[in-house]
Amino acid sequence: MTLLETHGLTRRFGGLTAVDGVEFRLDEGEIRALIGPNGAGKTTFVSLLSGRIRPSAGRVVFAGEDVTRLPAHARVMRGIAYTFQITSIFARMTLLDNVRLAVQRRMMRGWRGPDARALDAAAMAVLDRVGLADRATGIAGNLSYGHQRLLEVAMGLGLRPRLLILDEPTQGLSDAEIAGFVDLVREIARDATVLLIEHNMGVVMELAHRITVMEMGQILAEGPPEAIRADAEVQRAYLGG
């Protein structure tokens, strides 16, 4: 089943067309990688999906609903979580409190809000899921850059999204942490769809069901990893072939 699709999605910044008439479809339960050279339009594209910026033209449809004109917070409540959009960490707060904020947003019902014990339990479960439970009472700003990225992922998961968009999530992670992240994404994909912007091609080839390649604001190629690896145009534009 199609979870998200775009039709003629375009974004111009003055005389620059960063995203140019993109037709895109993402199926529910899929792990999709979005790759391309720097300046290809990847981050602008996912910012359009999440509502961080408005399109100059075109439409975004999520779960059958046209969400093109919805602001980012409304898309979050419908199940679109973009780590850079919603999860800037609060450096002076504990990891637990950071994740509590995301969980609280999801669990909020009426004016009373969630029960404190239920909120803490849900937040701890998310921290455990990303391997940060033993650091729950630590200050977020004291984390290494790589662990801050994992905290961002935890905050995204705290919203229990239908679509989780991850922008360069393995940047700053050690090889061992990257291996753990790959396992985590596979586990996340059991109950969510994942759209991943990633430059680590080992991670992309290992994780993605399908890969979308962007160049100059347009989709250059799309297909399973083996087809993308063999594509001459992709090798020319991105893989150095």
Side-chain angles (χ1 to χ4, degrees), residues 126-191:
V126 173
L127 284 170
D128 184 60
R129 197 174 179 186
V130 302
L132 292 176
D134 60 340
R135 302 170 183 257
T137 59
I139 301 300
N142 293 336
L143 292 173
S144 67
Y145 180 75
H147 283 122
Q148 288 185 22
R149 301 309 307 277
L150 288 176
L151 178 58
E152 290 178 346
V153 173
M155 294 175 72
L157 289 175
L159 293 164
R160 199 173 290 169
R162 293 185 67 180
L163 170 61
L164 180 62
I165 303 172
L166 301 172
D167 197 339
E168 295 289 345
T170 66
Q171 186 176 355
L173 298 184
S174 68
D175 289 344
E177 289 167 339
I178 288 173
F181 173 79
V182 168
D183 291 339
L184 172 63
V185 171
R186 289 196 178 114
E187 191 262 328
I188 291 169
R190 294 176 184 172
D191 51 23

Short mmCIF file of all heavy atoms in Angstrom, two decimals, residues 126-191:
data_model
loop_
_atom_site.label_atom_id
_atom_site.label_comp_id
_atom_site.label_asym_id
_atom_site.label_seq_id
_atom_site.Cartn_x
_atom_site.Cartn_y
_atom_site.Cartn_z
N VAL A 126 11.79 3.66 24.92
CA VAL A 126 12.37 4.18 23.68
C VAL A 126 13.89 4.29 23.82
O VAL A 126 14.64 3.92 22.91
CB VAL A 126 11.75 5.53 23.31
CG1 VAL A 126 12.48 6.16 22.13
CG2 VAL A 126 10.27 5.37 22.97
N LEU A 127 14.37 4.80 24.95
CA LEU A 127 15.80 4.91 25.17
C LEU A 127 16.46 3.52 25.14
O LEU A 127 17.57 3.36 24.61
CB LEU A 127 16.10 5.60 26.50
CG LEU A 127 15.90 7.12 26.50
CD1 LEU A 127 15.98 7.67 27.92
CD2 LEU A 127 16.93 7.81 25.60
N ASP A 128 15.80 2.54 25.70
CA ASP A 128 16.33 1.18 25.68
C ASP A 128 16.40 0.66 24.24
O ASP A 128 17.36 -0.03 23.87
CB ASP A 128 15.44 0.28 26.53
CG ASP A 128 15.98 -1.13 26.62
OD1 ASP A 128 17.11 -1.30 27.11
OD2 ASP A 128 15.28 -2.07 26.19
N ARG A 129 15.44 1.04 23.45
CA ARG A 129 15.37 0.58 22.06
C ARG A 129 16.58 1.05 21.25
O ARG A 129 17.06 0.34 20.37
CB ARG A 129 14.07 1.10 21.43
CG ARG A 129 13.63 0.43 20.17
CD ARG A 129 12.27 0.94 19.75
NE ARG A 129 11.83 0.32 18.51
CZ ARG A 129 10.73 0.66 17.86
NH1 ARG A 129 9.95 1.62 18.34
NH2 ARG A 129 10.40 0.06 16.74
N VAL A 130 17.08 2.26 21.55
CA VAL A 130 18.23 2.79 20.81
C VAL A 130 19.55 2.59 21.55
O VAL A 130 20.59 3.07 21.11
CB VAL A 130 18.04 4.28 20.47
CG1 VAL A 130 16.78 4.50 19.67
CG2 VAL A 130 18.05 5.15 21.72
N GLY A 131 19.51 1.89 22.69
CA GLY A 131 20.74 1.59 23.42
C GLY A 131 21.25 2.68 24.32
O GLY A 131 22.43 2.71 24.68
N LEU A 132 20.36 3.59 24.74
CA LEU A 132 20.78 4.71 25.59
C LEU A 132 20.14 4.67 26.98
O LEU A 132 20.25 5.65 27.73
CB LEU A 132 20.44 6.05 24.92
CG LEU A 132 21.22 6.39 23.65
CD1 LEU A 132 20.70 7.69 23.04
CD2 LEU A 132 22.72 6.51 23.94
N ALA A 133 19.50 3.58 27.35
CA ALA A 133 18.79 3.53 28.63
C ALA A 133 19.74 3.73 29.81
O ALA A 133 19.36 4.36 30.81
CB ALA A 133 18.05 2.20 28.77
N ASP A 134 20.98 3.25 29.69
CA ASP A 134 21.92 3.37 30.81
C ASP A 134 22.42 4.81 30.97
O ASP A 134 23.09 5.13 31.96
CB ASP A 134 23.10 2.43 30.64
CG ASP A 134 23.90 2.69 29.37
OD1 ASP A 134 23.35 3.32 28.44
OD2 ASP A 134 25.06 2.25 29.30
N ARG A 135 22.09 5.69 30.04
CA ARG A 135 22.50 7.09 30.11
C ARG A 135 21.30 8.01 30.37
O ARG A 135 21.42 9.23 30.24
CB ARG A 135 23.17 7.52 28.81
CG ARG A 135 24.40 6.69 28.44
CD ARG A 135 24.86 7.01 27.01
NE ARG A 135 25.99 6.19 26.61
CZ ARG A 135 27.25 6.62 26.57
NH1 ARG A 135 27.53 7.86 26.91
NH2 ARG A 135 28.22 5.82 26.20
N ALA A 136 20.17 7.45 30.75
CA ALA A 136 18.91 8.20 30.81
C ALA A 136 19.00 9.44 31.68
O ALA A 136 18.40 10.48 31.36
CB ALA A 136 17.78 7.29 31.30
N THR A 137 19.73 9.38 32.80
CA THR A 137 19.79 10.52 33.71
C THR A 137 20.95 11.46 33.40
O THR A 137 21.14 12.46 34.09
CB THR A 137 19.90 10.03 35.17
OG1 THR A 137 21.08 9.23 35.30
CG2 THR A 137 18.68 9.22 35.56
N GLY A 138 21.71 11.15 32.36
CA GLY A 138 22.82 12.01 31.96
C GLY A 138 22.32 13.24 31.21
O GLY A 138 21.19 13.28 30.71
N ILE A 139 23.16 14.24 31.12
CA ILE A 139 22.82 15.48 30.42
C ILE A 139 23.09 15.32 28.93
O ILE A 139 24.18 14.90 28.53
CB ILE A 139 23.63 16.67 30.99
CG1 ILE A 139 23.33 16.83 32.49
CG2 ILE A 139 23.31 17.95 30.24
CD1 ILE A 139 21.87 17.08 32.81
N ALA A 140 22.10 15.67 28.12
CA ALA A 140 22.18 15.43 26.69
C ALA A 140 23.38 16.12 26.05
O ALA A 140 24.02 15.58 25.15
CB ALA A 140 20.89 15.87 26.01
N GLY A 141 23.70 17.32 26.51
CA GLY A 141 24.81 18.07 25.94
C GLY A 141 26.16 17.44 26.18
O GLY A 141 27.14 17.81 25.51
N ASN A 142 26.25 16.50 27.12
CA ASN A 142 27.52 15.83 27.40
C ASN A 142 27.75 14.61 26.51
O ASN A 142 28.82 14.00 26.57
CB ASN A 142 27.58 15.40 28.86
CG ASN A 142 27.63 16.59 29.81
OD1 ASN A 142 28.06 17.68 29.43
ND2 ASN A 142 27.20 16.38 31.04
N LEU A 143 26.76 14.25 25.71
CA LEU A 143 26.90 13.10 24.83
C LEU A 143 27.87 13.41 23.69
O LEU A 143 27.99 14.55 23.25
CB LEU A 143 25.55 12.72 24.22
CG LEU A 143 24.47 12.16 25.15
CD1 LEU A 143 23.17 12.01 24.38
CD2 LEU A 143 24.90 10.82 25.73
N SER A 144 28.50 12.37 23.16
CA SER A 144 29.26 12.52 21.92
C SER A 144 28.28 12.85 20.80
O SER A 144 27.07 12.64 20.91
CB SER A 144 29.98 11.21 21.59
OG SER A 144 29.04 10.19 21.26
N TYR A 145 28.84 13.36 19.69
CA TYR A 145 27.97 13.72 18.57
C TYR A 145 27.17 12.51 18.08
O TYR A 145 25.97 12.62 17.81
CB TYR A 145 28.81 14.29 17.41
CG TYR A 145 27.98 14.68 16.22
CD1 TYR A 145 27.20 15.82 16.22
CD2 TYR A 145 27.98 13.88 15.07
CE1 TYR A 145 26.43 16.18 15.13
CE2 TYR A 145 27.21 14.23 13.97
CZ TYR A 145 26.45 15.38 14.01
OH TYR A 145 25.68 15.71 12.91
N GLY A 146 27.82 11.36 17.99
CA GLY A 146 27.13 10.17 17.53
C GLY A 146 25.97 9.78 18.43
O GLY A 146 24.89 9.41 17.95
N HIS A 147 26.17 9.88 19.74
CA HIS A 147 25.09 9.54 20.67
C HIS A 147 23.99 10.59 20.65
O HIS A 147 22.82 10.28 20.90
CB HIS A 147 25.64 9.34 22.08
CG HIS A 147 26.34 8.04 22.27
ND1 HIS A 147 27.65 7.94 22.66
CD2 HIS A 147 25.91 6.76 22.08
CE1 HIS A 147 28.01 6.67 22.73
NE2 HIS A 147 26.98 5.93 22.38
N GLN A 148 24.33 11.84 20.37
CA GLN A 148 23.29 12.85 20.20
C GLN A 148 22.40 12.51 19.01
O GLN A 148 21.19 12.72 19.06
CB GLN A 148 23.90 14.24 20.02
CG GLN A 148 24.50 14.80 21.30
CD GLN A 148 25.00 16.22 21.14
OE1 GLN A 148 24.58 16.95 20.26
NE2 GLN A 148 25.91 16.63 22.01
N ARG A 149 23.01 11.96 17.95
CA ARG A 149 22.20 11.54 16.80
C ARG A 149 21.25 10.41 17.19
O ARG A 149 20.10 10.37 16.75
CB ARG A 149 23.10 11.10 15.64
CG ARG A 149 24.08 12.13 15.11
CD ARG A 149 23.41 13.46 14.79
NE ARG A 149 22.27 13.32 13.90
CZ ARG A 149 22.33 13.24 12.57
NH1 ARG A 149 23.50 13.26 11.96
NH2 ARG A 149 21.24 13.12 11.84
N LEU A 150 21.74 9.46 18.02
CA LEU A 150 20.86 8.39 18.48
C LEU A 150 19.74 8.93 19.36
O LEU A 150 18.60 8.43 19.33
CB LEU A 150 21.67 7.33 19.24
CG LEU A 150 22.57 6.44 18.39
CD1 LEU A 150 23.38 5.51 19.29
CD2 LEU A 150 21.77 5.64 17.37
N LEU A 151 20.04 9.96 20.15
CA LEU A 151 18.99 10.58 20.96
C LEU A 151 17.94 11.23 20.06
O LEU A 151 16.74 11.16 20.35
CB LEU A 151 19.60 11.62 21.91
CG LEU A 151 18.61 12.39 22.79
CD1 LEU A 151 17.79 11.43 23.66
CD2 LEU A 151 19.36 13.40 23.67
N GLU A 152 18.37 11.84 18.97
CA GLU A 152 17.41 12.39 18.00
C GLU A 152 16.50 11.30 17.46
O GLU A 152 15.28 11.49 17.33
CB GLU A 152 18.16 13.06 16.85
CG GLU A 152 18.86 14.35 17.21
CD GLU A 152 19.61 14.94 16.03
OE1 GLU A 152 19.79 14.22 15.02
OE2 GLU A 152 20.03 16.10 16.11
N VAL A 153 17.09 10.15 17.13
CA VAL A 153 16.28 9.03 16.65
C VAL A 153 15.28 8.60 17.72
O VAL A 153 14.11 8.33 17.43
CB VAL A 153 17.18 7.85 16.23
CG1 VAL A 153 16.34 6.62 15.88
CG2 VAL A 153 18.05 8.24 15.04
N ALA A 154 15.75 8.54 18.97
CA ALA A 154 14.86 8.16 20.07
C ALA A 154 13.69 9.12 20.19
O ALA A 154 12.54 8.71 20.41
CB ALA A 154 15.64 8.11 21.39
N MET A 155 13.95 10.41 20.05
CA MET A 155 12.87 11.40 20.13
C MET A 155 11.89 11.23 18.99
O MET A 155 10.67 11.36 19.16
CB MET A 155 13.46 12.80 20.17
CG MET A 155 14.26 13.08 21.44
SD MET A 155 15.08 14.68 21.43
CE MET A 155 13.69 15.79 21.64
N GLY A 156 12.41 10.91 17.80
CA GLY A 156 11.51 10.62 16.69
C GLY A 156 10.65 9.39 16.96
O GLY A 156 9.44 9.39 16.73
N LEU A 157 11.27 8.34 17.50
CA LEU A 157 10.53 7.12 17.82
C LEU A 157 9.51 7.34 18.92
O LEU A 157 8.48 6.66 18.98
CB LEU A 157 11.49 6.01 18.23
CG LEU A 157 12.37 5.42 17.13
CD1 LEU A 157 13.34 4.42 17.71
CD2 LEU A 157 11.51 4.77 16.06
N GLY A 158 9.80 8.30 19.81
CA GLY A 158 8.86 8.61 20.89
C GLY A 158 7.50 9.06 20.39
O GLY A 158 6.49 8.93 21.09
N LEU A 159 7.46 9.56 19.16
CA LEU A 159 6.20 9.98 18.56
C LEU A 159 5.44 8.82 17.94
O LEU A 159 4.32 8.99 17.48
CB LEU A 159 6.46 11.04 17.49
CG LEU A 159 6.98 12.37 18.02
CD1 LEU A 159 7.58 13.20 16.91
CD2 LEU A 159 5.87 13.13 18.71
N ARG A 160 6.07 7.65 17.91
CA ARG A 160 5.50 6.44 17.30
C ARG A 160 5.00 6.75 15.88
O ARG A 160 3.82 6.62 15.55
CB ARG A 160 4.37 5.87 18.16
CG ARG A 160 4.06 4.40 17.85
CD ARG A 160 3.06 3.84 18.83
NE ARG A 160 3.62 3.67 20.16
CZ ARG A 160 2.91 3.39 21.25
NH1 ARG A 160 1.59 3.25 21.15
NH2 ARG A 160 3.49 3.25 22.42
N PRO A 161 5.91 7.15 14.99
CA PRO A 161 5.48 7.61 13.66
C PRO A 161 5.14 6.46 12.72
O PRO A 161 5.60 5.33 12.88
CB PRO A 161 6.73 8.34 13.15
CG PRO A 161 7.86 7.60 13.80
CD PRO A 161 7.36 7.22 15.17
N ARG A 162 4.35 6.78 11.71
CA ARG A 162 4.14 5.85 10.59
C ARG A 162 5.29 5.97 9.60
O ARG A 162 5.62 5.00 8.93
CB ARG A 162 2.81 6.14 9.90
CG ARG A 162 1.58 5.87 10.74
CD ARG A 162 0.31 6.07 9.95
NE ARG A 162 0.17 5.07 8.89
CZ ARG A 162 -0.87 5.02 8.05
NH1 ARG A 162 -1.82 5.94 8.13
NH2 ARG A 162 -0.92 4.10 7.11
N LEU A 163 5.85 7.18 9.49
CA LEU A 163 6.99 7.43 8.60
C LEU A 163 8.08 8.13 9.40
O LEU A 163 7.85 9.21 9.94
CB LEU A 163 6.58 8.29 7.41
CG LEU A 163 7.71 8.82 6.52
CD1 LEU A 163 8.50 7.66 5.90
CD2 LEU A 163 7.17 9.74 5.45
N LEU A 164 9.25 7.52 9.46
CA LEU A 164 10.40 8.12 10.14
C LEU A 164 11.43 8.49 9.09
O LEU A 164 11.94 7.63 8.36
CB LEU A 164 11.00 7.14 11.15
CG LEU A 164 12.22 7.64 11.94
CD1 LEU A 164 11.85 8.85 12.80
CD2 LEU A 164 12.79 6.52 12.81
N ILE A 165 11.73 9.80 8.98
CA ILE A 165 12.71 10.30 8.03
C ILE A 165 14.00 10.59 8.78
O ILE A 165 14.02 11.38 9.73
CB ILE A 165 12.21 11.58 7.33
CG1 ILE A 165 10.87 11.33 6.62
CG2 ILE A 165 13.25 12.09 6.33
CD1 ILE A 165 10.22 12.59 6.07
N LEU A 166 15.08 9.95 8.38
CA LEU A 166 16.37 10.08 9.04
C LEU A 166 17.37 10.72 8.09
O LEU A 166 17.63 10.20 7.01
CB LEU A 166 16.88 8.70 9.47
CG LEU A 166 15.98 7.90 10.41
CD1 LEU A 166 16.51 6.48 10.59
CD2 LEU A 166 15.88 8.59 11.76
N ASP A 167 17.93 11.85 8.49
CA ASP A 167 18.85 12.61 7.65
C ASP A 167 20.28 12.41 8.17
O ASP A 167 20.64 12.93 9.22
CB ASP A 167 18.46 14.09 7.67
CG ASP A 167 19.07 14.88 6.53
OD1 ASP A 167 20.08 14.42 5.98
OD2 ASP A 167 18.54 15.96 6.21
N GLU A 168 21.08 11.64 7.45
CA GLU A 168 22.46 11.34 7.80
C GLU A 168 22.60 10.79 9.23
O GLU A 168 23.41 11.29 10.03
CB GLU A 168 23.33 12.59 7.64
CG GLU A 168 23.44 13.08 6.21
CD GLU A 168 24.29 12.17 5.34
OE1 GLU A 168 25.01 11.32 5.88
OE2 GLU A 168 24.23 12.31 4.11
N PRO A 169 21.86 9.75 9.58
CA PRO A 169 21.86 9.28 10.97
C PRO A 169 23.16 8.63 11.42
O PRO A 169 23.43 8.59 12.62
CB PRO A 169 20.70 8.28 11.01
CG PRO A 169 20.60 7.80 9.60
CD PRO A 169 20.93 8.99 8.74
N THR A 170 23.97 8.09 10.50
CA THR A 170 25.18 7.40 10.94
C THR A 170 26.38 8.33 11.02
O THR A 170 27.47 7.89 11.42
CB THR A 170 25.53 6.22 10.00
OG1 THR A 170 25.88 6.72 8.71
CG2 THR A 170 24.36 5.26 9.88
N GLN A 171 26.21 9.60 10.67
CA GLN A 171 27.33 10.53 10.75
C GLN A 171 27.80 10.65 12.20
O GLN A 171 27.02 10.92 13.10
CB GLN A 171 26.91 11.90 10.22
CG GLN A 171 28.04 12.91 10.13
CD GLN A 171 27.57 14.23 9.51
OE1 GLN A 171 26.44 14.35 9.08
NE2 GLN A 171 28.45 15.20 9.49
N GLY A 172 29.10 10.44 12.43
CA GLY A 172 29.65 10.54 13.77
C GLY A 172 29.60 9.26 14.57
O GLY A 172 30.10 9.22 15.70
N LEU A 173 29.02 8.19 14.02
CA LEU A 173 28.97 6.92 14.74
C LEU A 173 30.21 6.08 14.42
O LEU A 173 30.74 6.12 13.31
CB LEU A 173 27.72 6.13 14.33
CG LEU A 173 26.34 6.74 14.64
CD1 LEU A 173 25.24 5.75 14.27
CD2 LEU A 173 26.23 7.13 16.10
N SER A 174 30.66 5.31 15.40
CA SER A 174 31.75 4.37 15.18
C SER A 174 31.25 3.19 14.36
O SER A 174 30.03 3.01 14.17
CB SER A 174 32.28 3.87 16.51
OG SER A 174 31.31 3.05 17.15
N ASP A 175 32.17 2.35 13.87
CA ASP A 175 31.77 1.18 13.10
C ASP A 175 30.85 0.27 13.90
O ASP A 175 29.86 -0.25 13.37
CB ASP A 175 33.02 0.40 12.65
CG ASP A 175 33.81 1.13 11.57
OD1 ASP A 175 33.26 2.07 10.96
OD2 ASP A 175 34.97 0.76 11.34
N ALA A 176 31.16 0.08 15.18
CA ALA A 176 30.31 -0.77 16.02
C ALA A 176 28.93 -0.15 16.20
O ALA A 176 27.91 -0.85 16.19
CB ALA A 176 30.98 -0.99 17.38
N GLU A 177 28.88 1.18 16.36
CA GLU A 177 27.60 1.86 16.53
C GLU A 177 26.79 1.81 15.24
O GLU A 177 25.56 1.71 15.27
CB GLU A 177 27.83 3.31 16.97
CG GLU A 177 28.32 3.42 18.40
CD GLU A 177 28.85 4.81 18.74
OE1 GLU A 177 29.20 5.58 17.81
OE2 GLU A 177 28.94 5.13 19.94
N ILE A 178 27.48 1.88 14.08
CA ILE A 178 26.78 1.79 12.81
C ILE A 178 26.13 0.41 12.66
O ILE A 178 24.99 0.29 12.21
CB ILE A 178 27.73 2.07 11.63
CG1 ILE A 178 28.08 3.57 11.59
CG2 ILE A 178 27.12 1.65 10.30
CD1 ILE A 178 29.15 3.94 10.59
N ALA A 179 26.85 -0.63 13.05
CA ALA A 179 26.28 -1.98 12.99
C ALA A 179 25.04 -2.09 13.87
O ALA A 179 24.02 -2.68 13.46
CB ALA A 179 27.33 -3.01 13.43
N GLY A 180 25.08 -1.48 15.05
CA GLY A 180 23.91 -1.45 15.91
C GLY A 180 22.77 -0.65 15.31
O GLY A 180 21.59 -1.02 15.45
N PHE A 181 23.11 0.44 14.63
CA PHE A 181 22.09 1.27 13.99
C PHE A 181 21.38 0.50 12.87
O PHE A 181 20.15 0.60 12.72
CB PHE A 181 22.71 2.55 13.44
CG PHE A 181 21.77 3.37 12.62
CD1 PHE A 181 20.84 4.18 13.23
CD2 PHE A 181 21.80 3.30 11.23
CE1 PHE A 181 19.94 4.92 12.48
CE2 PHE A 181 20.91 4.04 10.48
CZ PHE A 181 19.98 4.85 11.10
N VAL A 182 22.13 -0.26 12.09
CA VAL A 182 21.53 -1.06 11.03
C VAL A 182 20.50 -2.03 11.61
O VAL A 182 19.38 -2.17 11.10
CB VAL A 182 22.62 -1.81 10.24
CG1 VAL A 182 22.00 -2.88 9.33
CG2 VAL A 182 23.44 -0.83 9.40
N ASP A 183 20.86 -2.69 12.70
CA ASP A 183 19.91 -3.59 13.37
C ASP A 183 18.70 -2.81 13.87
O ASP A 183 17.55 -3.30 13.78
CB ASP A 183 20.59 -4.30 14.54
CG ASP A 183 21.65 -5.30 14.09
OD1 ASP A 183 21.60 -5.74 12.93
OD2 ASP A 183 22.53 -5.62 14.91
N LEU A 184 18.92 -1.61 14.40
CA LEU A 184 17.83 -0.80 14.93
C LEU A 184 16.85 -0.42 13.82
O LEU A 184 15.62 -0.52 14.00
CB LEU A 184 18.38 0.47 15.58
CG LEU A 184 17.36 1.52 16.02
CD1 LEU A 184 16.44 0.95 17.11
CD2 LEU A 184 18.07 2.78 16.52
N VAL A 185 17.34 -0.01 12.67
CA VAL A 185 16.45 0.39 11.57
C VAL A 185 15.62 -0.80 11.10
O VAL A 185 14.42 -0.67 10.83
CB VAL A 185 17.25 1.00 10.41
CG1 VAL A 185 16.36 1.19 9.18
CG2 VAL A 185 17.85 2.33 10.82
N ARG A 186 16.23 -1.96 11.04
CA ARG A 186 15.46 -3.15 10.66
C ARG A 186 14.34 -3.43 11.66
O ARG A 186 13.23 -3.84 11.30
CB ARG A 186 16.39 -4.36 10.55
CG ARG A 186 17.31 -4.31 9.34
CD ARG A 186 17.91 -5.68 9.08
NE ARG A 186 18.75 -5.66 7.89
CZ ARG A 186 20.06 -5.84 7.88
NH1 ARG A 186 20.70 -6.09 9.03
NH2 ARG A 186 20.74 -5.82 6.76
N GLU A 187 14.65 -3.21 12.93
CA GLU A 187 13.64 -3.42 13.97
C GLU A 187 12.54 -2.36 13.88
O GLU A 187 11.35 -2.66 14.01
CB GLU A 187 14.33 -3.39 15.34
CG GLU A 187 13.46 -3.86 16.49
CD GLU A 187 12.83 -2.69 17.23
OE1 GLU A 187 13.45 -1.62 17.28
OE2 GLU A 187 11.69 -2.85 17.72
N ILE A 188 12.91 -1.10 13.62
CA ILE A 188 11.94 -0.02 13.46
C ILE A 188 10.99 -0.32 12.31
O ILE A 188 9.78 -0.06 12.38
CB ILE A 188 12.65 1.32 13.22
CG1 ILE A 188 13.39 1.78 14.48
CG2 ILE A 188 11.67 2.41 12.78
CD1 ILE A 188 14.34 2.95 14.24
N ALA A 189 11.53 -0.89 11.23
CA ALA A 189 10.75 -1.13 10.02
C ALA A 189 9.68 -2.21 10.20
O ALA A 189 8.84 -2.40 9.32
CB ALA A 189 11.67 -1.51 8.87
N ARG A 190 9.68 -2.88 11.34
CA ARG A 190 8.60 -3.83 11.61
C ARG A 190 7.27 -3.14 11.78
O ARG A 190 6.21 -3.71 11.49
CB ARG A 190 8.92 -4.65 12.86
CG ARG A 190 10.12 -5.58 12.73
CD ARG A 190 10.42 -6.26 14.05
NE ARG A 190 11.63 -7.07 13.97
CZ ARG A 190 12.20 -7.65 15.01
NH1 ARG A 190 11.65 -7.51 16.22
NH2 ARG A 190 13.30 -8.36 14.86
N ASP A 191 7.29 -1.89 12.27
CA ASP A 191 6.02 -1.19 12.49
C ASP A 191 6.04 0.26 11.99
O ASP A 191 5.18 1.05 12.35
CB ASP A 191 5.61 -1.23 13.97
CG ASP A 191 6.72 -0.77 14.90
OD1 ASP A 191 7.63 -0.03 14.46
OD2 ASP A 191 6.67 -1.19 16.07
#
